[in-house]
Amino acid sequence: MFPLKKSIRYIILVLLIVVSAFVLYETFESVKIDKQLSHRAPIKKSIEEQPILIERFSEKETEKVSQKLDLLLKRINKRHDFHGALLVAKKGKIVYSNQVGYKDFRKRELLDEKSVFQLASVSKQFTAAAIMILYEKQQLKLTDTINRYFPAFPYEGVTIKNLLNHTAGLPKYFWVAEHKWNKQKAPTNSEMMTLLETSNVQRFFKSGRNFDYSNTGYFVLASIVEKITGTSFGAFVKENIFDPLEMDDSYVYSFENDSISSNHLDGYKLYRRWRHRKISYTVNDAIVGDKNVYSTSEDLFKWVHGLNNEKLFSKETLALMYTPGETISGRKVPYGFGFRINTDTDNKIYHHGKWNGFRTGLTQYLDDDLIVIVLEHTSYEGIAALNKRVKNIVAKNFSF
């Protein structure tokens, strides 16, 4: 009898220790997150010190909305494993910019304003802009076919505009790389272009007939940029987009070919609801144009602000990017050049991204003059819903 009672006491004691340790850990994590959210980059007063494209509302003006958005970030971090950055801007000025969660789970290092995220498909707008820079310089025409730059390209009649609008009907290069590439090192853009020429894979449809979202089209566009300029896509984007807009923490990264910056994040997946596993690179990770731009939330704000204010090219050229495409039968497609277009409900121009644990979103709500930027790296699946919640919070708690 007594040994049984002793065992029960021992079990209860162990349970108490475990529960106490868990409570202490949760309390410590909560305090750590609160401290992270309470830290904000100082607002620079000097015009000389202030980056050209960054303006902010004052702390007093944003106090109420910032408190609400801090609570939202803390909640989705705890309940939905959100580890990322959120930036909100209105009328061309930053309302809110903050981060929550970890950048490195093994080292328990917190995210900060310098943490650099893989943009995934949000990268496509930079590829489109690179094309439009060359277009405005009259170095290409939107009606040019791919065969003008790559004579052996096996899909005839595909124009640059088809690629931009996703109406080219090209096969998925992911499948080609995974089934046709037989080298250990991941293929680069030029190697993938050569592989497409020899892989004998059928297209989905003749160009212009339908809309079919295509990563292949955007890697081909980046390859055209390289062909025309004689330089790497990353170097062209740096010189013609990142540097002029002072996007100092942004770059194009090709796996196994480029060096990694100190703030470069990895993607993660939550395993069995408690452990974060780093996601490995794949055979498709050296390709650029469809993905592989890395950036911060504030650099992305500089990007949108600069793009919309003729820092890269004219408003007439920008209007082409923001205009929905159409098929040869005249059917409108919900995509411009590098941007999804939705004028039916929210009147927004946007793009989401999803790759190797990264989840990203950049949304311009045109009627509200509102920009919402979300960057995350632990496979969070609620970007669209989060955008709506942020939009509603700003509408109710910020009136400038």
Side-chain angles (χ1 to χ4, degrees), residues 37-63:
L37 287 169
S38 65
H39 169 75
R40 301 190 193 283
I43 296 174
K44 298 179 176 69
K45 301 297 183 182
S46 168
I47 294 175
E48 288 78 15
E49 295 175 355
Q50 183 81 342
I52 294 173
L53 298 173
I54 288 283
E55 289 187 81
R56 303 172 192 270
F57 288 97
S58 70
E59 290 182 9
K60 184 177 181 181
E61 292 169 326
T62 61
E63 182 178 7

Side-chain angles (χ1 to χ4, degrees), residues 68-100:
K68 296 289 185 181
L69 292 172
D70 278 349
L71 287 172
L72 174 62
L73 281 188
K74 185 176 181 180
R75 191 180 308 121
I76 61 174
N77 169 259
K78 186 176 180 65
R79 296 181 182 178
H80 304 291
D81 195 50
F82 179 96
H83 295 260
L86 171 66
L87 185 145
V88 181
K90 193 168 177 67
K91 298 180 180 178
K93 297 170 66 175
I94 294 177
V95 175
Y96 180 87
S97 180
N98 218 338
Q99 310 80 36
V100 68

Side-chain angles (χ1 to χ4, degrees), residues 6 31 49 55 72 112 151 164 182 208 255 259 262 272 289 386 398:
K6 198 171 182 179
V31 170
E49 295 175 355
E55 289 187 81
L72 174 62
D112 57 37
L164 290 164
N182 54 20
F255 174 55
S259 58
S262 58
R272 293 186 176 177
L386 177 58
F398 187 76

Side-chain angles (χ1 to χ4, degrees), residues 168-272:
L170 299 180
K172 299 182 186 300
Y173 86 80
F174 287 6
W175 186 93
V176 176
E178 290 160 7
H179 292 82
K180 303 285 187 176
W181 183 251
N182 54 20
K183 298 179 182 179
Q184 186 173 0
K185 187 177 179 181
T188 62
N189 280 43
S190 60
E191 290 171 327
M192 180 54 67
M193 289 298 291
T194 300
L195 186 60
L196 278 181
E197 293 171 4
T198 58
S199 61
N200 207 24
V201 178
Q202 296 297 309
R203 65 169 81 181
F204 290 115
F205 52 82
K206 287 188 176 181
S207 59
R209 290 190 176 183
N210 293 302
F211 170 78
D212 182 60
Y213 184 85
S214 172
N215 289 302
T216 305
Y218 272 74
F219 113 71
V220 174
L221 287 168
S223 302
I224 291 172
V225 171
E226 293 183 335
K227 189 77 169 182
I228 292 174
T229 63
T231 187
S232 72
F233 179 71
F236 179 85
V237 172
K238 181 180 187 304
E239 182 180 347
N240 292 276
I241 298 177
F242 296 155
D243 287 349
L245 299 184
E246 297 183 3
M247 296 173 65
D248 298 331
D249 297 308
S250 300
Y251 51 88
V252 177
Y253 174 71
S254 176
F255 174 55
E256 298 180 319
N257 300 298
D258 298 325
S259 58
I260 296 177
S261 79
S262 58
N263 294 308
H264 183 108
L265 295 174
D266 291 305
Y268 291 85
K269 182 77 174 177
L270 189 62
Y271 179 68
R272 293 186 176 177

